[in-house]
Amino acid sequence: FTFGFCAAFMNGYVNGSLTRRNSVLGVGSIGTLMALTSLTAAGCSLLFGVVAQNIGKGPVIAFGAIAFVVIPAAVLVGKPDYSNDYWGSSLIFLYLLQGVGRSVYESTNRAVFADFFPGSLNTSAFANCIMQAGLAFFLSFMIQSFSNGTVLAVIVLILAGMVVPGHIVARRYRRKPLADGSPSSSLGGPSSYRY
């Protein structure tokens, strides 16, 4: 849910309320900034793949969660508005962070899903992953229609703050032995999964 809410927060609130009013960037730069997000995500995917192989996927998941936490936290604390020209060129920082978070969602997060749901379970797991992101995107835009950016920023902050604890709980649940004594990893991939 975090990626979907944060992506909609960026596309709806940041693009619509901040970037378009920013005298340095303006509405004409939104396409370029979105491309910068995608480029950042692609570059970080390469880096995070190496990191995940060497120290595990857990730290990469945490790093992506931190990126998603910083986006709304920066907006809530830094209050981009007319008086500070909506942060001027510093607003680009949010797009870079979105790229970092998106990289983790699109690569490491999906690798975790593949590890937890191997073989024939992959199809359903990936469908669920995409459905969650789509539902979060929809809910985020729906909330934006009757509230302000602060409400959505708080929601994104809460969801992003739940990523690491959720990952830890899932990891522990997965390692818990079944009633017959067999490892629960039979439900979720190889027991050699690196966190």
Side-chain angles (χ1 to χ4, degrees):
F1 263 68
T2 303
F3 171 74
F5 264 92
C6 197
F9 177 72
M10 290 294 296
N11 285 304
Y13 179 71
V14 173
N15 285 344
S17 298
L18 306 180
T19 305
R20 76 179 181 91
R21 294 179 177 142
N22 184 306
S23 68
V24 176
L25 302 172
V27 71
S29 68
I30 291 174
T32 303
L33 292 168
M34 299 305 289
L36 177 64
T37 295
S38 297
L39 183 63
T40 302
C44 286
S45 292
L46 298 171
L47 173 65
F48 293 154
V50 172
V51 171
Q53 286 178 345
N54 289 307
I55 64 172
K57 294 178 182 93
V60 177
I61 294 287
F63 196 73
I66 290 167
F68 284 138
V69 163
V70 172
I71 292 169
V75 170
L76 291 169
V77 172
K79 301 182 188 323
D81 61 18
Y82 180 79
S83 68
N84 57 25
D85 192 24
Y86 302 92
W87 292 354
S89 60
S90 297
L91 193 63
I92 293 170
F93 179 66
L94 297 181
Y95 292 90
L96 294 172
L97 286 170
Q98 179 67 14
V100 170
R102 179 178 177 182
S103 171
V104 173
Y105 169 77
E106 297 284 3
S107 61
T108 309
N109 178 63
R110 291 179 188 228
V112 168
F113 267 75
D115 289 341
F116 272 61
F117 302 98
S120 63
L121 297 175
N122 272 358
T123 304
S124 298
F126 286 127
N128 187 301
C129 188
I130 292 168
M131 187 260 331
Q132 287 177 32
L135 179 61
F137 213 77
F138 165 75
L139 290 172
S140 181
F141 277 118
M142 188 175 73
I143 291 167
Q144 287 179 58
S145 70
F146 61 81
S147 69
N148 61 29
T150 301
V151 170
L152 196 57
V154 169
I155 292 171
V156 173
L157 190 62
I158 291 168
L159 289 172
M162 292 171 47
V163 168
V164 172
H167 181 74
I168 291 168
V169 168
R171 182 180 74 203
R172 289 186 186 194
Y173 172 76
R174 186 171 158 271
R175 290 184 174 170
K176 187 176 179 181
L178 300 175
D180 67 0
S182 64
S184 64
S185 62
S186 64
L187 297 175
S191 58
S192 63
Y193 174 78
R194 287 190 66 182
Y195 296 95

